[in-house]
Amino acid sequence: MAHLSDSSFPITELPGVIEQLGELFEAAGFELSLVGGPVRDLFLGRVSPDLDFTTNALPDDIIAITRRWCDTYWEMGREFGTIGMRKDGFQIEITTYRSEAYDPESRKPVVAFGDRLEDDLYRRDFTMNAMALRLPQMELVDPYGGVRDLHEGIVRTPGAPSSSFSDDPLRMMRAARFASQLGVTVAPEVFDAMKDMAGRIEIISAERVRDELVKLINGKTPADGVDLLVESGLADYVLPEVAALRLEIDEHHRHKDVYQHSLTVLRQACDLETGPDGAVPAPDFVLRFAALMHDVGKPATRRFEGTGAVSFLHHDVVGAKLTAKRMKALRFDNDTIKAVSRLVELHMRFYGYGDAGWSDSAVRRYVTDAGPLLQRLHRLTRSDVTTRNRRKAERLAFAYDDLEARIEKLAEQEELAAIRPDLDGSQIMDLLGIRPGPVVGRAYRFLLEERMENGPGAPGEAEAKLREWWQQQPESASAPAQERPESGSATEGMS
């Protein structure tokens, strides 16, 4: 048995709560070990705020030992042998040694308690997570070579990969997530098992798949994790729109395919994220996922022109719909779905600016349509430039620099982030002497269009334009002058 200090890795100093727990369980006559990810993280030079322990004590014993020590505890995982608690800012889970068996057609394990630490470690997903620190002796238990594999940057399973993935198919996605988070590669036998068993991911709930996907996308090198999903065939089930991009030739013929282009855009988007106090703090899932999905509309819109060129007309709009559909299937929340799909829809809006230039009204529309996503749209648009033609890249960068400068200049003159007509719904009804109804909405949209085209008007200008517009409406001839009622639904959202 090795002592933790014998490792060649630099070991982070252990929090006091770990030693305290070890002494409590030893005094009560039970074994206790820090296990899994927290042990792995010690070798990576970091301490997680979430600490996992395993023990030969049963749940009732765990509660009896810790209830006076911890700040609070909960029993939601009792049926799986897990008692959760919080102490000094750490979230702690202590689980009785387990020996799990899975029904091949079920998403949930059948749990049986065990009595040996080594058996508990064998059931874990990967060797780098199958290490334990026996407490309070600080002895490293590593029966399956986790330190070796962590040092070599290789993902292996304690037993046969096929058995591990059959027990819990989500472990295949977790391997891809580790490729993203830790920069590791999977062993050949692990990759082969992923390819052979990719279809088993379908028995996993959409919510669990979504959670792993978010962790992957938010990792250090998400393009590596995505590539593993695609190459193993897992993406055919969880992100088929991305897998389909491998078949599409980029219209500029500058990349192997649209798939490789999309991975490049994802990498470049990550590079444009900011620090914690910046406009788009890293990691930003919305920006990253939009970068990955921005061209998924191309397979459905590909057309071969008579000149030999390839076109993807309206792939932005089609891609936005496909993105929203996929995210709904993965049970993302509505706000995240709307944000990502909106970025996909807007990612082509900039092109043409450098050639023809935009009027002030076009710049206002760009800002208004992007809304709170503007800073992400800036980064997505810049990331989408992957051409190897240096002159073209410089021209596009210069054009976008110019656009951002114009946005900043206009923002100094106008409140671009919240452009509204110069008259609200109540003022429209007062001026025209009409009641709430569809006509008010039409008048509001007319004034909004005028505001977009011409910017803020002089006092009285909006009233004159509205009266002129009203005279051209069929309702004006038959509408008697009426006092506006005190309330009405037509003004909602217009003030």
Side-chain angles (χ1 to χ4, degrees):
M1 197 76 65
H3 194 275
L4 185 63
S5 60
D6 297 335
S7 169
S8 61
F9 281 86
I11 303 300
T12 301
E13 184 177 352
L14 297 178
V17 294
I18 294 177
E19 184 177 357
Q20 293 169 24
L21 267 177
E23 292 173 349
L24 283 173
F25 275 76
E26 184 181 50
F30 292 102
E31 298 176 3
L32 184 75
S33 297
L34 184 71
V35 71
V39 178
R40 179 199 69 222
D41 286 348
L42 291 176
F43 290 100
L44 296 175
R46 62 196 190 197
V47 175
S48 169
D50 299 331
L51 301 175
D52 296 327
F53 297 84
T54 188
T55 178
N56 60 345
L58 295 175
D60 285 343
D61 300 318
I62 295 171
I63 292 173
I65 294 169
T66 61
R67 67 188 308 166
R68 290 184 177 84
W69 171 81
C70 65
D71 297 329
T72 185
Y73 74 91
W74 53 91
E75 305 179 47
M76 289 181 292
R78 173 188 279 271
E79 64 175 309
F80 298 104
T82 299
I83 301 298
M85 63 193 69
R86 190 174 291 109
K87 174 70 174 180
D88 295 345
F90 289 92
Q91 186 155 308
I92 296 168
E93 287 189 350
I94 305 176
T95 302
T96 304
Y97 292 156
R98 294 198 304 206
S99 176
E100 292 178 349
Y102 286 75
D103 181 339
E105 303 305 320
S106 173
R107 298 173 178 174
K108 296 182 179 180
V110 177
V111 177
F113 295 148
D115 54 14
R116 294 180 70 248
L117 173 60
E118 288 75 12
D119 293 340
D120 183 271
L121 296 178
Y122 184 79
R123 71 175 180 81
R124 294 179 180 269
D125 52 5
F126 305 117
T127 57
M128 63 179 63
N129 289 336
M131 299 184 288
L133 186 63
R134 199 186 294 276
L135 304 169
Q137 303 94 325
M138 299 297 179
E139 291 177 336
L140 178 64
V141 183
D142 182 19
Y144 307 108
V147 172
R148 175 203 64 211
D149 292 341
L150 189 61
H151 188 273
E152 296 178 358
I154 296 178
V155 174
R156 290 192 176 95
T157 55
S162 57
S163 297
S164 180
F165 297 156
S166 180
D167 283 349
D168 185 0
L170 190 66
R171 290 173 174 175
M172 295 184 287
M173 285 202 65
R174 199 171 297 143
R177 189 239 293 180
F178 281 6
S180 170
Q181 290 182 328
L182 304 178
V184 297
T185 58
V186 297
E189 68 274 13
V190 172
F191 180 73
D192 290 342
M194 291 171 69
K195 289 184 68 174
D196 292 342
M197 305 178 67
R200 278 191 56 76
I201 198 68
E202 290 189 303
I203 74 167
I204 301 298
S205 70
E207 290 82 1
R208 292 184 71 202
V209 170
R210 175 203 63 209
D211 291 346
E212 282 296 327
L213 180 62
V214 170
K215 293 174 184 176
L216 185 159
I217 296 296
N218 283 345
K220 185 178 180 181
T221 57
D224 293 344
V226 171
D227 198 40
L228 183 52
L229 289 181
V230 171
E231 293 301 320
S232 66
L234 280 166
D236 292 335
Y237 300 94
V238 299
L239 284 177
E241 299 82 4
V242 173
L245 293 176
R246 290 175 297 173
L247 305 178
E248 305 306 318
I249 303 300
D250 186 81
E251 69 268 35
H252 301 299
H253 303 283
R254 295 292 187 270
H255 304 276
K256 179 181 178 181
D257 51 32
V258 176
Y259 169 65
Q260 290 296 332
H261 162 76
S262 298
L263 293 185
T264 300
V265 174
L266 174 56
R267 293 186 188 100
Q268 294 184 165
C270 293
D271 290 341
L272 292 178
E273 291 172 334
T274 63
D277 298 325
V280 184
D284 188 87
F285 175 80
V286 170
L287 171 62
R288 293 181 177 202
F289 201 55
L292 176 64
M293 302 292 283
H294 78 285
D295 274 348
V296 295
K298 284 189 171 179
T301 58
R302 182 175 61 168
R303 298 291 182 271
F304 295 97
E305 307 296 342
T307 60
V310 182
S311 67
F312 301 94
L313 191 62
H314 303 310
H315 77 269
D316 44 355
V317 177
V318 173
K321 293 178 180 178
L322 290 174
T323 298
K325 183 177 180 181
R326 176 55 46 196
M327 294 183 73
K328 287 177 183 176
L330 290 171
R331 304 292 193 270
F332 278 92
D333 63 277
N334 288 334
D335 288 343
T336 305
I337 293 172
K338 289 177 181 178
V340 174
S341 58
R342 185 62 168 159
L343 283 175
V344 172
E345 182 181 0
L346 293 174
H347 84 272
M348 292 293 293
R349 183 70 65 87
F350 161 73
Y351 292 95
Y353 175 85
D355 297 329
W358 283 358
S359 64
D360 284 351
S361 64
V363 175
R364 292 187 193 100
R365 290 179 195 280
Y366 190 78
V367 174
T368 302
D369 289 348
L373 299 172
L374 181 62
Q375 291 298 325
R376 291 184 175 112
L377 182 58
H378 287 335
R379 287 157 176 78
L380 176 59
T381 303
R382 289 185 181 275
S383 300
D384 196 23
V385 179
T386 61
T387 177
R388 297 176 185 176
N389 184 319
R390 197 175 82 176
R391 287 187 179 180
K392 183 176 181 180
E394 289 176 349
R395 185 172 69 251
L396 289 170
F398 177 81
Y400 208 85
D401 287 343
D402 183 65
L403 174 58
E404 286 201 62
R406 289 186 61 190
I407 289 172
E408 185 175 349
K409 183 177 180 180
L410 278 175
E412 293 174 358
Q413 304 168 1
E414 310 172 22
E415 192 179 353
L416 287 183
I419 290 180
R420 293 183 176 87
D422 293 328
L423 301 176
D424 62 26
S426 297
Q427 292 169 315
I428 289 170
M429 289 188 289
D430 282 338
L431 191 66
L432 301 183
I434 59 176
R435 293 180 180 276
V439 176
V440 181
R442 286 183 7 230
Y444 186 90
R445 289 190 292 274
F446 163 74
L447 291 174
L448 179 59
E449 187 74 15
E450 287 290 322
R451 174 69 173 78
M452 287 285 192
E453 285 293 333
N454 304 305
E461 186 176 344
E463 289 90 336
K465 288 182 177 179
L466 180 62
R467 288 192 179 95
E468 182 179 349
W469 173 86
W470 178 237
Q471 293 304 315
Q472 300 170 13
Q473 306 307 305
E475 294 88 349
S476 65
S478 58
Q482 306 171 35
E483 291 187 2
R484 182 178 63 83
E486 293 182 0
S487 63
S489 60
T491 62
E492 293 180 5
M494 296 185 182
S495 60

